[in-house]
Amino acid sequence: MIRVLFVCLGNICRSPMAEAVMRDLIAKKGLTSDIKVDSAATSSWHIGEAPHKGTQAKLKEFGISTGGMKGRQLSAADFEAFDYIVGMDSSNVRNIRDMLGQPDHPKIFRFLDLTPHRKDVPDPYYTGDFQETYDLAVEGCEALLNKIVFDLK
Ligand code: 4NP
């Protein structure tokens, strides 16, 4: 079982988008029993909350469920519990490294560094552009799934 954790600031906009898109992609490839996906926040601001309305609406538009998803904060135990710990932007990656006490472990990296974009996922909490978040989530998740399959070989 491979375990993937997406991390952003609030765990209501970007990391739940990536989590739901990744789970959908994994299901479509018949890999549900091989890869587990979760998401978490660096902050404690939205613990227990459902994803942001904008994330929910965009995923619904593409037939992807957010049922049962609830915000939680990253914890020290996540370092051992996950094989890939993916920050949605560079400040998320810095905070993950600090919170887990892991300054340079390769299992912690920035999501879009796996794509030609090599940039932060802009935060739709501020931009309001959930289509952009969705499009980048699809692109990044496809790249991540390719990496996982490659790493397995
Ligand atoms: P996220 O977006 O990190 O993509 O979930 C945000 C969610 C909430 C806040 C900021 C960013 N906030 O300030 O509450």
Side-chain angles (χ1 to χ4, degrees), residues 8-16 45-46 92 123-126:
C8 64
L9 177 59
N11 192 210
I12 54 170
C13 297
R14 294 166 296 172
S15 61
W45 304 335
H46 299 282
N92 302 149
D123 196 336
Y125 190 79
Y126 305 111

Side-chain angles (χ1 to χ4, degrees), residues 91-132:
S91 76
N92 302 149
V93 171
R94 266 197 310 278
N95 289 328
I96 295 164
R97 292 191 186 290
D98 285 352
M99 291 170 76
L100 300 182
Q102 295 290 340
D104 56 12
H105 199 286
K107 78 163 123 174
I108 302 168
F109 55 87
R110 186 173 64 165
F111 187 54
L112 292 180
D113 281 348
L114 299 177
T115 73
H117 296 295
R118 298 191 61 84
K119 64 169 189 175
D120 294 343
V121 177
D123 196 336
Y125 190 79
Y126 305 111
T127 68
D129 190 348
F130 287 87
Q131 182 65 52
E132 175 184 52

